[in-house]
Amino acid sequence: MTEKTAVLPATHNPPPARFSHGVRKGNILQVAGQVGFLPHVEGQPPTPAGPTLREQTLQTLENVRAVLEAGGAGWDDVVMIRVYLTDTGHFAEMNELYDAYFDAQGLKEAPAARTTVYVGLPAGLLVEIDALAVLG
């Protein structure tokens, strides 16, 4: 049986509860929901990248990438991305940001994706993204 390994990048704030930013088991890596917090600074609380969807989305994608890399994966290993928005009015902008980001990454094949509206994010946060990667 393959061991399950927590993935906790140094760039990330410590989780507020007993969970990991990612978990790898065999060739499967699940990235937990990431938000647009700037890289962790010791002694400082988590800080959003900014108030706009653009700032938060780009930082969120970089936070997902950091977990992927810490778990031995990259964007081309991702088979599913789930995006959670807090406002239905953000769908078009999110799609533009998403497309531009992955064009810049040189992604060979787009993963499956799902976007939904979720109103349970902490105040001020506009987007959360998780990903499932299969390595190998």
Side-chain angles (χ1 to χ4, degrees), residues 94-113:
M94 166 52 88
N95 286 340
E96 289 175 18
L97 293 165
Y98 182 94
D99 286 348
Y101 179 85
F102 285 115
D103 283 347
Q105 297 296 311
L107 192 64
K108 295 175 190 158
E109 294 293 332

Side-chain angles (χ1 to χ4, degrees), residues 1-134:
M1 185 167 215
T2 308
E3 188 173 320
K4 182 169 70 171
T5 305
V7 179
L8 300 163
T11 56
H12 285 46
N13 292 289
R18 190 173 178 199
F19 65 84
S20 303
H21 290 292
V23 173
R24 181 163 176 184
K25 184 169 172 94
N27 69 336
I28 304 290
L29 173 61
Q30 176 64 58
V31 177
Q34 301 294 304
V35 295
F37 288 143
L38 293 169
H40 175 64
V41 175
E42 191 65 40
Q44 292 185 8
T47 305
T52 69
L53 181 67
R54 177 181 181 73
E55 292 165 312
Q56 290 188 27
T57 297
L58 295 176
Q59 184 64 53
T60 300
L61 288 164
E62 286 302 301
N63 292 344
V64 171
R65 186 179 61 77
V67 178
L68 289 168
E69 289 178 357
W75 285 117
D76 283 318
D77 298 306
V78 174
V79 296
M80 180 66 178
I81 292 177
R82 285 173 292 272
V83 177
Y84 305 91
L85 297 173
T86 59
D87 185 335
T88 57
H90 289 159
F91 273 94
E93 184 179 359
M94 166 52 88
N95 286 340
E96 289 175 18
L97 293 165
Y98 182 94
D99 286 348
Y101 179 85
F102 285 115
D103 283 347
Q105 297 296 311
L107 192 64
K108 295 175 190 158
E109 294 293 332
R114 172 185 166 80
T115 302
T116 190
V117 174
Y118 173 70
V119 294
L121 292 178
L125 294 177
L126 304 173
V127 61
E128 179 176 327
I129 299 173
D130 70 53
L132 177 64
V134 179

